Amino acid sequence: MKIDLYDSDETELLGGTLARVLPQKCLVFLYGELGAGKTTLIRGMLRAMGHKGAVKSPTYGLVEEYRLPGRDLYHFDLYRLKDPEELEWLGINDYLQQQALACIEWPQMGLGYLPPADLEIKLDYHNNGRSIEINILAESLKNTLVIDWKNKDLLL
């Protein structure tokens, strides 16, 4: 599924829409160049889940934990990862075993140490806005996720 987004507000709105339909436990990989909107999309997810504070990319700390009523979200940014083995030190497996939404930016940096994603999202620049491609990888989610986007039901 490919969707054009006109600005950061639409990117956040789509993030919130996704947060409402994704299962409690879900692994999401986010791909895109610097500034493409990965963290903006996650900010939208967090706002929809009730988070009121700042949302920043965890570039230096590698992970930000958000414990919210009814749901947790772990936001990983692997951009500065020097070696995929660092994920073991970080305790990535402990995070991914939790009943939580885990969003990983730059997952290609953890190749060989990350399990397969349930969903992958690719963000790219398109004209003055962004283009987003959503691919469902987990068989259990295929043909089950429907979002209401701009007054249309879209099957992801």
Side-chain angles (χ1 to χ4, degrees):
M1 165 70 56
K2 196 167 191 174
I3 299 172
D4 289 332
L5 304 169
Y6 298 105
D7 56 25
S8 61
D9 289 341
E10 278 201 351
T11 305
E12 276 195 43
L13 184 63
L14 183 61
T17 300
L18 289 171
R20 286 187 279 280
V21 299
L22 292 176
Q24 186 78 13
K25 180 177 174 33
C26 190
L27 178 57
V28 179
F29 286 176
L30 294 110
Y31 297 92
E33 295 301 316
L34 290 170
K38 299 178 297 293
T39 298
T40 303
L41 188 79
I42 293 170
R43 181 181 307 115
M45 291 178 175
L46 286 163
R47 295 278 182 261
M49 294 165 58
H51 180 70
K52 303 282 189 232
V55 176
K56 60 183 175 30
S57 186
T59 303
Y60 293 98
L62 296 180
V63 64
E64 287 288 333
E65 298 181 29
Y66 299 91
R67 300 196 182 275
L68 302 164
R71 191 167 197 188
D72 294 340
L73 185 145
Y74 301 124
H75 179 193
F76 298 87
D77 184 335
L78 306 185
Y79 181 73
R80 297 199 184 279
L81 197 70
K82 291 183 180 20
D83 186 323
E85 287 184 7
E86 291 177 52
L87 292 173
E88 277 190 46
W89 172 81
L90 180 67
I92 190 82
N93 290 326
D94 293 334
Y95 282 107
L96 299 182
Q97 289 175 8
Q98 303 299 312
Q99 287 294 318
L101 180 55
C103 299
I104 302 180
E105 297 184 31
W106 302 94
Q108 63 271 33
M109 302 301 285
L111 195 62
Y113 281 83
L114 293 173
D118 297 313
L119 185 84
E120 70 177 15
I121 299 174
K122 298 175 183 175
L123 293 110
D124 202 356
Y125 296 98
H126 179 71
N127 296 327
N128 291 330
R130 302 290 186 269
S131 170
I132 185 166
E133 183 179 334
I134 303 170
N135 296 306
I136 297 180
L137 304 175
E139 287 298 322
S140 61
L141 297 179
K142 289 188 178 177
N143 299 314
T144 64
L145 298 180
V146 177
I147 62 169
D148 177 22
W149 183 248
K150 295 186 177 181
N151 295 319
K152 294 179 189 167
D153 286 340
L154 300 178
L155 178 65
L156 298 180

